[in-house]
Amino acid sequence: MKPFLTTQTLALTPLSPVHIGCGEDFEPTNYIIEDGLLYGFDPSRAVLTDLQRSKLTDVARRGSLAGIQRFFRDNAAAFKPHAHVVMPVAKGVAAQYEKRLGEAANLEANGRAVFNQLDIERHVFTGAQQHPFIPGTSFKGALRTAWLDELNGERNPRDVEFKYNGEAKSTTRMESALLGGDFQTSPLRLLKVGDLMPSREPEREVLFAVNRKKKLVLKNGQEAQPKGIAARKDCVLPGQYRLFEASVTLPALLAHAGARNNKGQPIAPQCNQLTADGAVDLARVARRSNAYHLQRLRRELAVLDGRGLVNPDWKRGIETLLAPGGELDGKLVAGQAFLVRLGRYGGADNKTLSGEGVASIKIMGAKGEKPTFESTTKTVWLAAQFESDQKHLIPFGWAMVEIDPAADCQSLKSWCAAQARGRRNMADVRTQLQAEKQAAEQQKTQQVAEAARRAAAAEGERLAAQARAAALATMTEQGQLTEQLRQKCEEWFDQLQPKGNFKKQAADAGKAGLYQDADKLVKQALGAGSAWSADDKTALAEMLEMWMPKVVDRWDAKEQRKKLKFGALRDNT
């Protein structure tokens, strides 16, 4: 008897670009493209100069999306060091970014410009490291379709609820009948797959997802293209040997398989779909998946090859890798590996049951026309370097998953090495980026310290001004006049070179300036009927003797004592 729980290890190798969306995008305000690389960042972490901050505030205040987009591109050096994601982009994506950034895509009826958003759909990713992974639900979904396909045996579906015009509203009852019940009685409940997490940093690239017709359609002598707009996708690149890993847990029901309640209704998965111990046979599941997906892969390659769309090198490599009698084919036949199709762009053909007239895929018509329902799709989404490419395209989502791999699969490993040849060395890029990040963090620390110093200085000046104002309030009217002139001298002194661009003033009573102000104040203090007290006169003399040499050019102490009558000011008799 087997134990209640058995656990096996899965290792996934992508055979073609894989994109599984997560509902988040890179937008031109949180990424830039430079030298063929995308840098994704949190803009709030960047260190901006006062001029940069002023420019960004200005374009934001004006609500200029074009200005904001161009600002991030033009100030890339400030944001790159704070990138949490860096990856290559297809040449066509980089060219499109440079051409469209900040340009209006079209005009609305009211004349308002509509701008190219240039969003890039992200692959589902982990938390802090933001590495892509493969959700266990995506993998299990592919297995579920293959399982249902075997159970259905190409029969026309029953127990399907319909909405209108042949559109299937729900296949839940049909699937329950095939699997022998709902979740409680479905054998799939005994297949528990964890998320397939990266064993190292995955190699990625931003590629176009382009829509192409499966059959050549001519319109006015020219090939008609589907209406689907080319989208930009964050993709895991093919040829990364055993990149993702996960565990699959297989609980056994032991004696409970096939159990029914007192009404004869099943309350556990039925024995005919389980092992003698009441468990899921993973090797059998793998063979089901391979029978389903191999047929579809070969059919897709034939269609694409017939249209001249598929990358010939990739197609030739895949056919060699999966050739009958080869090393990998032996693992597929033995149920030691799965061939699966993952992600939205795997196409509806790979999510439906086999058999003539079994599938009912909704095909959207032209605007205003009702949809039709066909057994296969009319178009296919493919990965491309350029949105106009017609010759070097690769299907999305194909992957090989090995069960409990021990020794290397040499054919798969060699194929991966060939696929990776010529790719950019991202380790060097990340090393350089790390150095730039450390420099940016140091700059930010210095900036914060300088801001704190300036704030402290401003607070000190505020307190000093407050103290001066309080002291001024206690002075006589004449003392206040002396203090006001002293403050003017101090302010001028603080702007003298090299701190500022001011120069010392001339000692000319006939020319407006500090010396003339001093001369007038002395005459007022010594004038007939002056209200100046002896203490106020003395304070004026001492202030002038201290500050005038600091702000007046070519100061002659002996001569100026006479001209400004320091002796008379100090004569208290």
Side-chain angles (χ1 to χ4, degrees):
M1 181 181 293
K2 290 186 178 180
F4 172 64
L5 285 177
T6 59
T7 301
Q8 294 183 266
T9 301
L10 305 177
L12 184 148
T13 300
L15 302 181
S16 70
V18 176
H19 171 82
I20 301 174
C22 63
E24 292 190 29
D25 297 337
F26 290 114
E27 300 174 351
T29 54
N30 63 23
Y31 81 85
I32 57 101
I33 293 176
E34 185 176 89
D35 189 27
L37 295 173
L38 175 143
Y39 296 86
F41 50 80
D42 176 358
S44 67
R45 297 186 61 84
V47 180
L48 301 181
T49 65
D50 290 341
L51 179 59
Q52 289 172 327
R53 193 175 294 106
S54 175
K55 287 182 177 179
L56 180 58
T57 300
D58 179 58
V59 294
R61 185 182 298 114
R62 289 187 284 110
S64 172
L65 178 59
I68 293 173
Q69 291 177 343
R70 285 193 294 266
F71 174 85
F72 283 99
R73 180 192 61 186
D74 295 344
N75 295 278
F79 297 99
K80 278 174 51 181
H82 303 283
H84 48 69
V85 174
V86 57
M87 73 177 101
V89 300
K91 292 180 179 179
V93 172
Q96 186 186 77
Y97 173 83
E98 289 298 328
K99 180 178 182 296
R100 292 187 181 179
L101 191 68
E103 293 182 353
N106 51 58
L107 295 177
E108 293 181 342
N110 60 7
R112 184 175 60 184
V114 179
F115 289 93
N116 294 290
Q117 298 296 322
L118 290 175
D119 294 345
I120 296 171
E121 295 184 43
R122 296 196 64 173
H123 190 290
V124 60
F125 57 92
T126 61
Q129 291 183 311
Q130 301 205 11
H131 290 171
F133 69 96
I134 307 298
T137 51
S138 293
F139 174 68
K140 188 172 178 178
L143 303 186
R144 176 186 175 88
T145 302
W147 193 321
L148 289 168
D149 190 61
E150 182 189 81
L151 294 175
N152 188 59
E154 299 192 3
R155 294 170 297 189
N156 283 322
R158 299 179 179 180
D159 298 318
V160 178
E161 300 175 25
F162 291 98
K163 189 175 181 182
Y164 63 90
N165 292 337
E167 180 180 2
K169 180 180 181 182
S170 173
T171 59
T172 302
R173 290 174 60 187
M174 178 196 73
E175 293 175 8
S176 295
L178 290 174
L179 290 170
D182 54 18
F183 172 78
Q184 182 180 0
T185 57
S186 169
L188 285 171
R189 65 176 281 204
L190 304 180
L191 182 67
K192 301 182 183 300
V193 183
D195 292 334
L196 290 107
M197 305 304 291
S199 59
R200 57 193 181 273
E201 183 159 359
E203 295 183 1
R204 306 151 73 177
E205 187 173 15
V206 178
L207 299 171
F208 283 112
V210 297
N211 199 219
R212 298 288 182 261
K213 289 184 178 294
K214 291 182 177 179
K215 294 182 179 180
L216 178 63
V217 177
L218 298 177
K219 186 175 183 179
N220 299 325
Q222 299 292 325
E223 181 178 347
Q225 297 295 341
K227 294 182 179 180
I229 299 174
R232 294 158 295 275
K233 308 290 179 181
D234 167 13
C235 299
V236 176
L237 290 176
Q240 300 184 72
Y241 184 61
R242 296 177 179 173
L243 173 63
F244 296 103
E245 298 177 349
S247 294
V248 55
T249 303
L250 304 166
L253 294 179
L254 305 177
H256 300 289
R260 296 176 179 271
N261 60 20
N262 55 11
K263 296 181 179 179
Q265 299 169 328
I267 58 174
Q270 301 304 296
C271 299
N272 62 347
Q273 296 191 46
L274 304 174
T275 66
D277 298 302
V280 169
D281 182 351
L282 196 58
R284 182 182 175 187
V285 176
R287 288 191 288 270
R288 282 171 171 154
S289 177
N290 298 335
Y292 180 86
H293 287 105
L294 272 169
Q295 178 188 43
R296 281 160 171 73
L297 173 60
R298 288 169 180 151
R299 185 189 305 157
E300 182 174 58
L301 290 179
V303 169
L304 297 178
D305 194 36
R307 289 277 285 112
L309 294 172
V310 67
N311 183 308
D313 293 335
W314 181 84
K315 174 180 176 290
R316 188 163 45 250
I318 286 293
E319 289 176 335
T320 301
L321 182 66
L322 299 176
E327 180 185 19
L328 198 55
D329 180 63
K331 298 190 75 168
L332 295 175
V333 171
Q336 297 171 355
F338 301 85
L339 176 67
V340 293
R341 191 79 183 270
L342 304 169
R344 170 188 173 190
Y345 289 99
D349 287 343
N350 294 282
K351 298 178 176 64
T352 54
L353 304 184
S354 305
E356 185 65 31
V358 174
S360 180
I361 300 172
K362 184 177 181 179
I363 309 295
M364 300 303 296
K367 187 175 182 180
E369 295 182 2
K370 291 183 178 181
T372 60
F373 299 88
E374 310 286 345
S375 60
T376 185
T377 59
K378 294 183 177 181
T379 64
V380 59
W381 286 93
L382 302 165
Q385 283 281 324
F386 296 90
E387 57 184 325
S388 60
D389 193 358
Q390 300 281 352
K391 302 292 183 183
H392 308 90
L393 309 176
I394 301 177
F396 280 100
W398 289 107
M400 184 63 60
V401 182
E402 299 171 88
I403 304 171
D404 287 331
D408 280 330
C409 178
Q410 291 298 336
S411 61
L412 181 59
K413 191 173 184 179
S414 297
W415 179 85
C416 287
Q419 294 296 306
R421 196 172 296 129
R423 287 180 184 165
R424 192 162 184 170
N425 187 341
M426 293 303 295
D428 292 343
V429 173
R430 292 188 178 95
T431 298
Q432 176 63 29
L433 189 64
Q434 183 61 29
E436 293 178 7
K437 183 176 182 178
Q438 290 175 351
E441 291 295 337
Q442 184 177 5
Q443 181 184 358
K444 187 171 185 177
T445 300
Q446 293 172 346
Q447 190 181 60
V448 169
E450 176 61 19
R453 186 197 65 77
R454 280 190 279 183
E459 178 63 11
E461 178 58 32
R462 185 188 69 81
L463 293 175
Q466 190 178 56
R468 287 195 299 268
L472 200 63
T474 64
M475 294 179 183
T476 62
E477 181 180 346
Q478 293 73 27
Q480 291 179 4
L481 294 174
T482 299
E483 175 60 17
Q484 289 168 3
L485 180 56
R486 189 204 66 78
Q487 288 182 16
K488 290 172 65 176
C489 291
E490 183 178 4
E491 290 169 1
W492 189 271
F493 177 76
D494 287 340
Q495 295 300 318
L496 291 176
Q497 298 174 347
K499 291 190 292 184
N501 57 3
F502 286 13
K503 296 180 180 180
K504 287 187 175 184
Q505 299 184 12
D508 186 353
K511 186 177 182 179
L514 296 173
Y515 189 86
Q516 185 185 78
D517 293 343
D519 182 68
K520 289 181 178 179
L521 200 57
V522 169
K523 290 178 178 177
Q524 179 183 336
L526 298 176
S530 171
W532 284 62
S533 68
D535 288 343
D536 287 334
K537 292 176 184 179
T538 299
L540 175 60
E542 291 177 353
M543 185 278 289
L544 294 176
E545 195 166 20
M546 175 184 291
W547 280 98
M548 284 291 105
K550 295 181 179 181
V551 295
V552 172
D553 193 25
R554 298 178 183 178
W555 177 266
D556 186 326
K558 185 176 180 180
E559 181 181 356
Q560 296 304 329
R561 284 194 189 97
K562 293 179 179 179
K563 287 186 175 182
L564 294 178
K565 302 179 180 179
F566 287 173
L569 290 172
R570 289 191 172 100
D571 186 2
N572 297 326
T573 58

